[in-house]
Amino acid sequence: MTGRRIKNMDEFAKLSDISRPTLSKYFNDAESVRKSSRVKIEAALEKFDYRPNMFAINQNRKLTKTIGIVVPYLADPFFSEIVRRIERRCIDAGFWPVVFSAHGQKGLESNALAILQSLRPAGALIAPLGRHSDFEVVQQFTKEVPTVVFDSNVDVGKAFVGSNNSQSIGLIVDYLCRTGEPPCFLEMPPVNPNANKRRDAYVQAMERLGHDPQVIRADGTGWEFERIGLEAGMRLITTRSLPSETILCSNDRLAIGLLAAAYQKGLRVGHGPGCALRVAGHDDHPWSQFTCPPLTTVAQDFTAIAEKSVETLFEIIKNNSTTVDRPEFVFDGKLVLRASA
Amino acid sequence: MTGRRIKNMDEFAKLSDISRPTLSKYFNDAESVRKSSRVKIEAALEKFDYRPNMFAINQNRKLTKTIGIVVPYLADPFFSEIVRRIERRCIDAGFWPVVFSAHGQKGLESNALAILQSLRPAGALIAPLGRHSDFEVVQQFTKEVPTVVFDSNVDVGKAFVGSNNSQSIGLIVDYLCRTGEPPCFLEMPPVNPNANKRRDAYVQAMERLGHDPQVIRADGTGWEFERIGLEAGMRLITTRSLPSETILCSNDRLAIGLLAAAYQKGLRVGHGPGCALRVAGHDDHPWSQFTCPPLTTVAQDFTAIAEKSVETLFEIIKNNSTTVDRPEFVFDGKLVLRASA
DNA sequence: GAGAAATGTTTACGCGAGTAAAAATAATAT
DNA sequence: ATATTATTTTTACTCGCGTAAACATTTCTC
């Protein structure tokens, strides 16, 4: 390609010998122009390296090709993995994903939504902070922008996609009860609806199986779950106040902290003989296979959640609605048996 | 505020009784208008909730307020943490950070740079993939956009900010040699310049101390360092081919994998009596304090790297250059002693 | 090969703001 | 109060592209 930089579409139109409106159509949807034009345009693109100005494009299009993705905490591997998948799908569909992280803070979430809104996105995929969201702001946003809510089922938006907490918790509670002492439940701080849903699911599952539910609340705030788990673990082990030698944590990050506490206290974790504790998690975080011992957990179906979210959003964008009123899609978890329980 | 949505600045100008050019100035820099105007505008903003259209703004401004951030792998906690800090600083300075992740793939990196360039950013902060980058593309990008390179010192851009690998590796090698058997070095796949720099630093440090350097190459490709570390560890332990009972890993994620391998093989890791291995890492990843045992490592100064990068970029944007020709700022690491070595 | 259907070109206007220049007004100094 | 300076208002043009309408050309169908 030549060094020559092309300023705008008019210039490129002259050089490629194609009219500007046709070029405009091409860039909007390459299939919408005749094949002979397409090859001409693509040949010219090879030669001149022009790309349309994003801002000018989006200023005029009634529907932008921008898709906003807002997550509460991008440093959480759960979200970085799910975002990765979502981004991929958006790009493949010719959209332009823009990612925002609230970094666990209400103010930043509101800010992200405001910036996002000024981008006039075609739609948005958001996992709200939950309890710490500025509900008004989120609701206002979803009124203006077609939105699919995922992971954290706050009652806004046009659809929800997430995990079937009651199924997945039921699954692991059942497993733990079959193979040893019924578990107590180490609950994360209730940052979002999942926290309560999982606890309730635990209680129900235990009662269904005729056991006494034992919920321990790990105190602490924010999203540093490993630290919270570690501190709770140290405290519980030191004061010998664990109601069961089997502990189900409401997420893997908490479990990772708990495993660290057990290790530091010299307690062997696992399901074999000679083990003092069994620890299980929930989510199957990318790191859970590398813990010591590897963590038994319930896998959330990242891929399914990501794909269904994107698919649903595309449908909403296309038809300007879903067939049902705010459908909720939840995916079952799968038991992942490793050494920890 | 009233429900009424304001379409554009003209409309807002009428409602707030301030001329449009003055409003334009205000949104560009609130301090640039007279105080009396400012309070009037801000009162109107309270009342009407208007925000300028991002696309229209950026179309004409010679310098956008957009800052591009490109990292090789956002799911790596090192990058998510550093990005978090960079974003914060940009927002505080009135810029709009846009984050892209290459997800470890050359094609996606090139794509991200292309999209970013079409955003006409005021500047960019990029951590190139390194060996897997399309060097041509990256170089071309940095010619058009004022760029600070961080973490991975690929020879492009107007400045580099990163860690002083030779100091930090020297530090930990020294510590390990003082306190036990001199370490061998478990090297990560050479995805970027840091890989080789750290290995060379290790060799130098060992030679300086009069020991025989022993480098083990963990094979594997991509960014799944934990898995690579785990597999290398299993192999090395099973075949008893570890040249030293002390192992320095070229990063923490590799070390996390190695710790998992040691655990699974029943080898006790730590610096106390009764331990079969000592393991140390490099970076002080957010997870390193929760490993079993907690990981001894060298902390990279995330905050300093993030701040210096941003600061340098702002200087470049402002003066259109730095005082020196492509300065390189490197920060010393700090020894973090935990239980693993 | 004629007529219909599909696609392309020409022309012209709009989007929402940045920005420059001249005129008008306000704030400050003398 | 007058002169001086700092802002603001008015007016008008620009940016790069979407898009609509009228017309011209190509491609397809029988």
Side-chain angles (χ1 to χ4, degrees):
Chain A
M1 76 185 150
T2 70
R4 186 132 152 56
R5 273 285 301 291
I6 284 124
K7 276 211 328 290
N8 58 29
M9 213 148 129
D10 268 313
E11 196 176 329
F12 185 65
K14 293 210 180 72
L15 290 170
S16 62
D17 195 32
I18 290 278
S19 74
R20 195 173 66 70
T22 304
L23 284 177
S24 178
K25 273 192 78 179
Y26 170 85
F27 285 115
N28 197 349
D29 173 10
E31 298 301 310
S32 70
V33 303
R34 194 187 296 151
K35 195 169 170 197
S36 61
S37 313
R38 207 180 316 146
V39 300
K40 251 170 89 178
I41 295 170
E42 271 152 14
L45 277 176
E46 285 293 309
K47 217 167 137 195
F48 294 112
D49 175 44
Y50 157 77
R51 57 179 54 243
N53 178 319
M54 270 271 174
F55 294 107
I57 290 177
N58 287 311
Q59 176 167 10
N60 293 325
R61 250 209 277 264
K62 72 277 308 276
L63 50 139
T64 348
K65 285 289 193 175
T66 307
I67 299 270
I69 303 166
V70 183
V71 295
Y73 202 80
L74 198 47
D76 185 322
F78 169 75
F79 289 110
S80 45
E81 285 298 326
I82 219 160
V83 162
R84 209 178 73 183
R85 288 171 170 79
I86 290 176
E87 274 190 293
R88 199 86 200 83
R89 303 263 307 163
C90 289
I91 292 173
D92 289 347
F95 283 86
W96 173 42
V98 186
V99 181
F100 296 87
S101 168
H103 302 311
Q105 293 170 45
K106 177 198 275 195
L108 291 179
E109 182 177 73
S110 300
N111 192 256
L113 291 175
I115 292 183
L116 177 52
Q117 197 171 338
S118 73
L119 286 175
R120 297 165 184 263
L125 292 151
I126 70 177
L129 273 174
R131 180 141 320 181
H132 294 294
S133 288
D134 188 328
F135 185 73
E136 297 287 321
V137 172
V138 178
Q139 193 172 40
Q140 187 58 37
F141 176 86
T142 57
K143 276 184 189 155
E144 311 278 345
V145 180
T147 304
V148 169
V149 175
F150 68 97
D151 182 57
S152 165
N153 195 357
V154 170
D155 187 26
V156 292
K158 296 227 190 309
F160 169 74
V161 181
S163 285
N164 187 345
N165 285 310
S166 89
Q167 177 270 346
S168 59
I169 292 284
L171 204 59
I172 187 128
V173 168
D174 193 40
Y175 164 75
L176 292 171
C177 290
R178 278 167 195 254
T179 51
E181 194 185 355
C184 60
F185 186 77
L186 184 60
E187 181 188 29
M188 64 176 165
V191 290
N192 66 29
N194 286 332
N196 295 332
K197 285 215 179 115
R198 289 182 191 171
R199 185 204 44 219
D200 295 348
Y202 160 77
V203 171
Q204 271 186 24
M206 289 290 277
E207 283 170 353
R208 179 163 38 79
L209 295 170
H211 300 298
D212 217 28
Q214 301 274 4
V215 175
I216 309 162
R217 167 72 151 280
D219 39 39
T221 54
W223 287 73
E224 282 194 281
F225 295 135
E226 293 84 2
R227 171 169 312 290
I228 292 169
L230 174 65
E231 284 168 4
M234 293 301 266
R235 182 172 52 76
L236 291 165
I237 295 169
T238 308
T239 61
R240 297 174 185 284
S241 46
L242 275 169
S244 163
E245 68 184 21
T246 302
I247 305 144
L248 173 58
C249 299
S250 62
N251 68 46
D252 282 359
R253 295 181 57 195
L254 218 50
I256 288 171
L258 180 58
L259 288 178
Y263 186 94
Q264 287 173 38
K265 285 289 175 186
L267 294 185
R268 194 174 161 79
V269 175
H271 65 284
C275 292
L277 288 180
R278 295 194 302 161
V279 173
H282 187 287
D283 289 350
D284 196 23
H285 270 221
W287 275 268
S288 299
Q289 48 190 316
F290 304 109
T291 55
C292 301
L295 189 64
T296 287
T297 185
V298 197
Q300 287 204 54
D301 194 341
F302 290 13
T303 306
I305 293 175
E307 294 199 345
K308 188 69 185 177
S309 303
V310 174
E311 199 177 279
T312 307
L313 181 61
F314 286 169
E315 189 196 325
I316 293 169
I317 291 173
K318 206 166 158 191
N319 310 335
N320 201 25
S321 73
T322 49
T323 46
V324 194
D325 185 52
R326 195 173 189 282
E328 301 195 350
F329 304 101
V330 290
F331 291 95
D332 283 357
K334 289 200 186 68
L335 211 50
V336 178
L337 298 182
R338 299 204 185 95
S340 78
Chain B
M1 75 186 152
T2 71
R4 186 132 153 55
R5 272 285 301 290
I6 283 125
K7 278 209 327 287
N8 58 28
M9 211 147 131
D10 268 313
E11 195 177 330
F12 185 66
K14 292 210 180 71
L15 290 169
S16 62
D17 195 32
I18 290 278
S19 75
R20 196 173 67 70
T22 304
L23 284 177
S24 178
K25 274 192 78 179
Y26 170 85
F27 285 116
N28 197 349
D29 173 10
E31 298 301 310
S32 70
V33 303
R34 194 187 294 152
K35 196 172 170 193
S36 62
S37 312
R38 208 181 315 147
V39 300
K40 250 170 90 177
I41 296 170
E42 272 151 14
L45 277 176
E46 285 292 311
K47 218 167 135 198
F48 294 112
D49 175 44
Y50 158 77
R51 57 179 53 244
N53 178 318
M54 270 271 174
F55 294 108
I57 290 177
N58 287 308
Q59 177 165 11
N60 290 328
R61 248 210 277 264
K62 71 280 305 279
L63 35 146
T64 339
K65 286 288 192 175
T66 307
I67 300 270
I69 303 166
V70 183
V71 295
Y73 202 79
L74 198 47
D76 184 321
F78 169 75
F79 289 109
S80 45
E81 285 298 325
I82 219 160
V83 162
R84 210 178 72 183
R85 288 170 170 78
I86 290 176
E87 274 189 294
R88 198 87 200 81
R89 303 265 306 164
C90 289
I91 291 172
D92 290 347
F95 283 86
W96 173 43
V98 185
V99 181
F100 296 88
S101 168
H103 301 311
Q105 294 170 44
K106 177 198 275 197
L108 290 179
E109 182 177 73
S110 300
N111 191 256
L113 291 175
I115 292 183
L116 177 52
Q117 197 170 339
S118 73
L119 287 176
R120 298 166 184 260
L125 292 150
I126 72 178
L129 274 174
R131 178 141 322 179
H132 294 295
S133 288
D134 188 329
F135 185 73
E136 296 288 321
V137 172
V138 178
Q139 193 172 40
Q140 187 59 36
F141 175 87
T142 59
K143 275 184 188 156
E144 312 278 345
V145 180
T147 304
V148 170
V149 175
F150 69 98
D151 181 58
S152 165
N153 196 357
V154 170
D155 187 26
V156 293
K158 296 227 189 310
F160 170 75
V161 180
S163 286
N164 187 345
N165 285 311
S166 89
Q167 177 270 346
S168 59
I169 292 284
L171 203 59
I172 187 128
V173 169
D174 193 39
Y175 163 76
L176 292 171
C177 291
R178 279 167 194 252
T179 51
E181 195 185 356
C184 60
F185 186 78
L186 183 59
E187 181 188 28
M188 64 176 166
V191 289
N192 66 30
N194 286 331
N196 294 332
K197 286 217 178 111
R198 289 182 190 170
R199 185 203 45 219
D200 295 348
Y202 160 77
V203 171
Q204 269 187 25
M206 288 290 278
E207 283 170 353
R208 180 163 37 80
L209 296 170
H211 300 298
D212 218 28
Q214 300 274 4
V215 175
I216 310 162
R217 167 73 150 279
D219 40 39
T221 54
W223 287 74
E224 282 193 280
F225 294 135
E226 293 84 3
R227 171 169 314 289
I228 292 170
L230 174 66
E231 283 167 4
M234 294 301 266
R235 183 174 51 78
L236 291 165
I237 294 169
T238 308
T239 61
R240 297 174 185 282
S241 45
L242 275 169
S244 164
E245 67 185 21
T246 302
I247 306 142
L248 172 59
C249 299
S250 62
N251 68 45
D252 283 359
R253 294 181 58 195
L254 218 49
I256 288 171
L258 181 58
L259 288 178
Y263 187 94
Q264 286 173 38
K265 284 290 175 184
L267 294 185
R268 194 173 160 80
V269 175
H271 64 284
C275 292
L277 289 180
R278 294 193 301 160
V279 173
H282 187 288
D283 289 350
D284 196 24
H285 269 220
W287 276 268
S288 300
Q289 48 190 314
F290 305 108
T291 55
C292 301
L295 190 63
T296 287
T297 185
V298 196
Q300 288 203 54
D301 195 340
F302 289 14
T303 307
I305 293 174
E307 294 200 345
K308 189 69 185 176
S309 303
V310 174
E311 201 177 278
T312 306
L313 181 60
F314 286 169
E315 190 196 323
I316 293 169
I317 292 173
K318 205 166 158 191
N319 311 333
N320 201 24
S321 74
T322 49
T323 47
V324 194
D325 186 51
R326 195 174 189 283
E328 302 195 350
F329 305 101
V330 289
F331 291 94
D332 283 357
K334 289 199 185 69
L335 210 50
V336 177
L337 298 182
R338 298 204 185 95
S340 76

